[in-house]
């Protein structure tokens, strides 16, 4: 059971991606207006309306980067790549369809000759014949595809076992890697990176051992060789993250830790590339999950070291995006520590336990945001937004009666453990607020009221965990109250996003409860007919009222 819950935590990064997208949309989106400067400013320079120094000043003012026109995919380049892929597929199908009629030595010679000829043609059009650089790059890519087909078909000739297919991938990837490096061809570099990534998984699955060679190849060959390219480094960073998450399912703790440490080292040398920091944070989460799977009853106290180091780098380089990932890693670590402790005490983990625990952690994070706001520290909005979203999501999960139906009975030690987190979270919220500074306006009072309602609702549910009907009603009342409070906060702060969020929460609440009440009908057609009418009517009503309030806010 513990392993099942640990594997479930692997899905948490996917959940946070949605949260990250929301927070990124709130805080990190660029204004729509100045974006057009990136394309227009080049035209102004060409017409000599402004000089390059003035354009740099304008771009710096709006925090925009100068567009790199060389990176644009023009029609000729796009058609060349598509044509090369079509030719490669056509040749492969032609050879495969006539494979049995061709002798083995002739097949091998034909494929090798075709690959070499395409490679030479790519060199000629890239460096000898001027004006055909796009065609030359496409031919290099086509030669790399031909080489992959050659290795696969040769493997078929000599009946290489399926369990050894990783050899073919390795023979395909290594020879085309020098071509990508020497001729600086990003198409081939991307292909080689993708093949190495697939080889990593094939090697581990077929041999049942961790593939330490893959991160070494990426860290010491691919990333240094292609650091000037745009897409290839990002693809390999994604590949390393995928390899670290892959470790969770096969319990390769040391490999996940090595990948995480390597990404941190790369970030320390290339601080301008934030992707290394993001990837390192995600990979450390994977290592933490893997650690718990292997030593299920041992809390991973060693995780505090990377947790502290990543937080230091996040604040030092002012990375809001990574702070969201760091908060996720903190929540995963806290959950896994509790799982390990409960395993030691032989206690069952229930759905209400998990949801309430997430809610308490979220309230603590929200309190940390209040503390940061009072003390004038950065990122207070990230803490408060993240905590609010998680707390609301956990509360919404508790509104379903199925969560409370026939749960494993919780021991009182578990209740005390959860209650301690409740008290801890509320204390942080109240102490961090410093009443005289935090409760100066109505918005702050409403925020605190919403968080206290969630905390008190959790306490009542924990006090009587067997009362499924009462707990369901209480959770619904809490969620509806917090939704209304969010609407009031948006109106009080004159922020349309917060106001609309509260309206959406309330609409989701009504639709969910309607589905719960009507879905049990035997005739499902009435459900959809009545449901459609009710939802449309409520939608019109809510939209009319929302527009009136928005107009009042604007005026």
């Amino acid at each position: 059971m513990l392993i099942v819950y640990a594997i479930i935590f692997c899905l948490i990064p996917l959940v946070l991606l949605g949260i990250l997208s929301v927070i990124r949309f709130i805080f990190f989106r660029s204004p729509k207006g100045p974006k057009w400067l990136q394309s227009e400013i080049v035209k102004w320079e060409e017409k000599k309306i402004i000089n390059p120094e003035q354009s740099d000043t304008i771009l710096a003012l709006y925090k925009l980067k100068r567009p790199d026109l060389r990176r644009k995919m023009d029609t000729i380049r796009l058609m060349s790549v598509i044509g090369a892929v079509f030719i490669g597929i056509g040749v492969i199908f032609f050879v495969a369809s006539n494979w049995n009629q061709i002798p083995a030595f002739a097949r091998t010679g034909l494929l090798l000759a075709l690959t070499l000829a395409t490679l030479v043609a790519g060199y000629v059009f890239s460096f000898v014949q001027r004006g055909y650089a796009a065609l030359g790059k496409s031919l290099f890519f086509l030669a790399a595809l031909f080489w992959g087909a050659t290795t696969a078909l040769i493997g078929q000739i000599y009946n290489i076992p399926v369990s050894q297919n990783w050899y073919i991938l390795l023979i395909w990837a290594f020879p085309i890697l020098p071509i990508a490096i020497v001729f600086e061809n990003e198409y081939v570099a991307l292909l080689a990176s993708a093949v190495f990534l697939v080889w990593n998984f094939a090697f581990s699955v077929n041999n049942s051992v961790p593939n330490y060679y893959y991160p070494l190849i990426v860290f010491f060959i691919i990333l240094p060789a292609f650091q000037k390219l745009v897409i290839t480094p990002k693809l390999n960073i994604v590949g390393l993250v995928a390899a670290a998450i892959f470790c969770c399912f096969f319990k390769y703790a040391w490999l996940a830790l090595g990948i995480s440490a390597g990404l941190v080292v790369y970030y320390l040398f290339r601080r301008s590339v934030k992707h290394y920091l993001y990837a390192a944070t995600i990979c450390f989460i994977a290592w933490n999950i893997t650690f718990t799977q292997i030593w299920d009853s041992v809390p991973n106290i060693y995780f505090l070291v990377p947790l502290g180091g990543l937080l230091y780098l996040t604040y030092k380089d002012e990375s809001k995006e990574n702070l969201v990932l760091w908060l996720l890693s903190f929540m995963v670590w806290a959950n896994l520590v509790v799982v390990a402790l409960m395993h030691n005490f032989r206690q069952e983990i229930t759905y209400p336990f998990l949801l309430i625990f997430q809610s308490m952690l979220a309230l603590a994070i929200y309190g940390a945001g209040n503390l940061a706001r009072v003390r004038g520290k950065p990122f207070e909005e990230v803490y408060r937004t993240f905590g609010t979203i998680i707390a609301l999501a956990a509360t919404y999960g508790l509104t379903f009666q199925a969560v409370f139906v026939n749960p494993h009975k919780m021991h009182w030690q578990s209740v005390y453990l959860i209650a301690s987190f409740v008290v801890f979270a509320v204390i942080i919220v109240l102490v961090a607020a410093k009443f005289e500074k935090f409760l100066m306006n109505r918005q702050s009072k409403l925020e605190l009221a919403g968080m206290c309602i969630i905390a008190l609702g959790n306490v009542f549910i924990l006090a009587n965990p067997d009362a499924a009907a009462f707990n369901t009603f209480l959770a619904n009342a809490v969620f509806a109250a917090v939704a209304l409070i969010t609407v009031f906060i948006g109106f009080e702060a004159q922020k349309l996003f917060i106001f609309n969020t509260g309206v959406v929460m309330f609409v989701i609440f009504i639709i969910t409860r309607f589905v719960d009440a009507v879905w049990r009908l035997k005739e499902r057609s009435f459900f959809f007919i009545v449901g459609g009418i009710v939802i449309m009517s409520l939608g019109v009503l809510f939209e009319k009222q929302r527009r009136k309030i928005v107009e009042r806010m604007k005026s």
Side-chain angles (χ1 to χ4, degrees), residues 384-404:
R384 293 168 62 233
T385 303
F386 183 93
T388 302
I389 291 174
I390 297 296
L392 290 175
T395 304
Y396 179 73
L398 291 170
T399 60
F400 295 91
Q401 189 171 3
V403 173
F404 300 98

Side-chain angles (χ1 to χ4, degrees), residues 518-519 521-532:
V518 184
W519 183 252
L521 295 177
K522 293 182 179 180
E523 185 56 52
R524 297 290 170 82
S525 59
F526 289 111
F527 164 77
F528 288 103
I529 294 173
V530 175

Side-chain angles (χ1 to χ4, degrees), residues 261-450:
L263 287 167
V264 171
V265 171
Y266 253 86
Y267 179 70
L268 293 176
F269 283 97
R270 300 199 65 193
R271 303 289 281 274
S272 60
V273 184
K274 302 292 185 182
H275 298 87
Y276 290 116
L277 182 60
Y278 308 154
T281 305
I282 297 174
C283 290
F284 271 117
I285 296 175
W287 169 65
N288 189 20
I289 295 172
T290 310
F291 181 97
T292 304
Q293 286 185 286
I294 298 173
W295 298 283
D296 54 358
S297 60
V298 180
N300 188 3
I301 60 174
Y302 308 106
F303 189 71
L304 292 173
V305 176
L307 201 64
L310 291 171
L311 184 62
Y312 170 77
L313 292 174
T314 299
Y315 270 84
K316 185 177 179 61
D317 296 332
E318 299 180 353
S319 176
K320 291 182 178 181
E321 294 90 340
N322 198 68
L323 180 58
V324 176
L325 294 175
W326 186 90
L327 290 173
L328 169 66
S329 66
F330 169 74
M331 289 195 66
V332 173
W333 173 75
N335 276 277
L336 293 179
V337 167
V338 172
V339 167
L341 292 175
M342 293 187 69
H343 180 80
N344 282 327
F345 289 105
R346 298 179 181 178
Q347 298 183 24
E348 295 288 346
I349 301 176
T350 64
Y351 291 117
F353 179 99
L354 287 175
L355 291 172
I356 292 175
F357 186 70
Q358 312 318 310
S359 179
M360 294 302 100
L361 285 176
L363 292 179
I365 292 172
Y366 174 84
N370 287 338
L371 180 63
R373 182 167 65 172
V374 170
R375 295 184 176 180
K377 301 295 183 180
F379 304 148
E380 55 95 4
E381 288 188 354
V382 177
Y383 283 105
R384 293 168 62 233
T385 303
F386 183 93
T388 302
I389 291 174
I390 297 296
L392 290 175
T395 304
Y396 179 73
L398 291 170
T399 60
F400 295 91
Q401 189 171 3
V403 173
F404 300 98
V405 174
N406 297 325
H408 297 290
K409 290 187 177 181
M410 298 170 60
H411 296 278
W412 280 110
Q413 293 92 332
S414 300
V415 176
Y416 288 134
L417 179 64
I418 298 296
S420 66
F421 274 97
V422 175
V423 176
F424 173 70
V426 174
I427 288 175
I428 287 183
V429 173
L430 297 179
V431 172
K434 293 185 177 179
F435 288 103
E436 71 278 4
K437 291 185 178 180
F438 181 64
L439 301 178
M440 292 177 62
N441 54 59
R442 188 177 179 183
Q443 177 185 350
S444 300
K445 295 177 182 179
L446 288 172
E447 289 182 10
L448 184 60

Side-chain angles (χ1 to χ4, degrees), residues 145-216:
L145 289 177
F146 282 161
W147 176 246
T150 302
T151 55
L153 294 176
I154 289 175
Q156 182 182 355
I157 291 174
Y158 298 103
N159 298 318
I160 295 179
V162 176
S163 60
Q164 301 299 320
N165 279 343
W166 62 271
Y167 275 117
I168 296 176
L169 294 170
L170 193 61
I171 294 172
W172 181 8
F174 258 120
I176 66 176
L177 190 59
I179 297 175
I181 296 173
V182 173
F183 300 116
E184 298 181 352
N185 191 307
E186 186 158 18
Y187 305 152
V188 181
L190 289 171
L191 179 61
S193 301
V195 175
F196 271 119
L197 177 58
V198 177
W199 165 74
N200 168 58
F201 299 138
F203 178 90
S204 294
V205 171
N206 291 331
N207 297 285
S208 300
V209 294
N211 188 354
Y212 291 98
Y213 306 106
Y214 173 72
L216 293 177

